[in-house]
Amino acid sequence: MSSMTFLFIFITVLSLVFLLLNFIFAPHNPYQEKYSIFECGFHSFLGQNRTQFGVKFFIFALVYLLLDLEIVMIYPFAVSEYENGIYGLIVVLIFIIIITIGFVFELGKNALKIESKQTKVLMQKSDNFSYFDK
């Protein structure tokens, strides 16, 4: 048995043993207060929840993560460019084209547009000016 196989078997057995020990010896005392909603140090009461978090910021984070991962995936190609040949170039170009199509799709759906108070005020002002001009 090679050392790598032993390592995989040993880690699997060790994690299962620790999981079993946790189920056996860990106290399990559920009660209503424990399962109630608790957020930022305040208990949440019915009808007093704060507004929902805007998904637009999450979408920006995902786009940043995808573009960041794209750089990480292309770095090995850039380091070994002379050994890749035309096949490696085609694979990287296909990868970049797929990422670019997704980014253009997001731009087309206005997924990256966040409406702020400034844009709302400017739109209201432009609507008011056009209303008085008539």
Side-chain angles (χ1 to χ4, degrees), residues 43-57:
H43 291 282
S44 177
F45 298 105
L46 187 62
Q48 294 181 350
N49 294 339
R50 287 173 275 177
T51 59
Q52 294 179 348
F53 180 75
V55 178
K56 298 287 186 180
F57 299 106

Side-chain angles (χ1 to χ4, degrees), residues 18-46:
F18 283 149
L19 190 62
L20 184 66
L21 287 174
N22 184 30
F23 281 132
I24 293 172
F25 294 116
H28 184 70
N29 301 325
Y31 51 93
Q32 184 180 5
E33 186 76 17
K34 187 175 184 179
Y35 288 128
S36 65
I37 299 172
F38 185 79
E39 184 178 352
C40 298
F42 300 103
H43 291 282
S44 177
F45 298 105
L46 187 62

Side-chain angles (χ1 to χ4, degrees), residues 105-124:
F105 179 76
E106 288 174 353
L107 288 177
K109 290 287 187 179
N110 287 331
L112 301 177
K113 183 178 180 185
I114 296 179
E115 293 182 8
S116 66
K117 292 180 182 178
Q118 276 184 324
T119 57
K120 288 180 182 177
V121 169
L122 289 174
M123 288 174 56
Q124 288 174 353

Side-chain angles (χ1 to χ4, degrees), residues 32-118:
Q32 184 180 5
E33 186 76 17
K34 187 175 184 179
Y35 288 128
S36 65
I37 299 172
F38 185 79
E39 184 178 352
C40 298
F42 300 103
H43 291 282
S44 177
F45 298 105
L46 187 62
Q48 294 181 350
N49 294 339
R50 287 173 275 177
T51 59
Q52 294 179 348
F53 180 75
V55 178
K56 298 287 186 180
F57 299 106
F58 185 67
I59 291 174
F60 267 98
L62 284 177
V63 169
Y64 174 77
L65 181 66
L66 285 175
L67 295 177
D68 197 30
L69 286 175
E70 178 185 6
I71 293 170
V72 170
M73 298 298 278
I74 293 174
Y75 181 74
F77 171 76
V79 171
S80 62
E81 183 177 358
Y82 293 111
E83 297 175 9
N84 289 330
I86 194 72
Y87 178 74
L89 178 65
I90 291 171
V91 169
V92 168
L93 286 177
I94 290 172
F95 179 71
I96 290 173
I97 288 170
I98 291 171
I99 295 288
T100 305
I101 289 171
F103 186 67
V104 169
F105 179 76
E106 288 174 353
L107 288 177
K109 290 287 187 179
N110 287 331
L112 301 177
K113 183 178 180 185
I114 296 179
E115 293 182 8
S116 66
K117 292 180 182 178
Q118 276 184 324

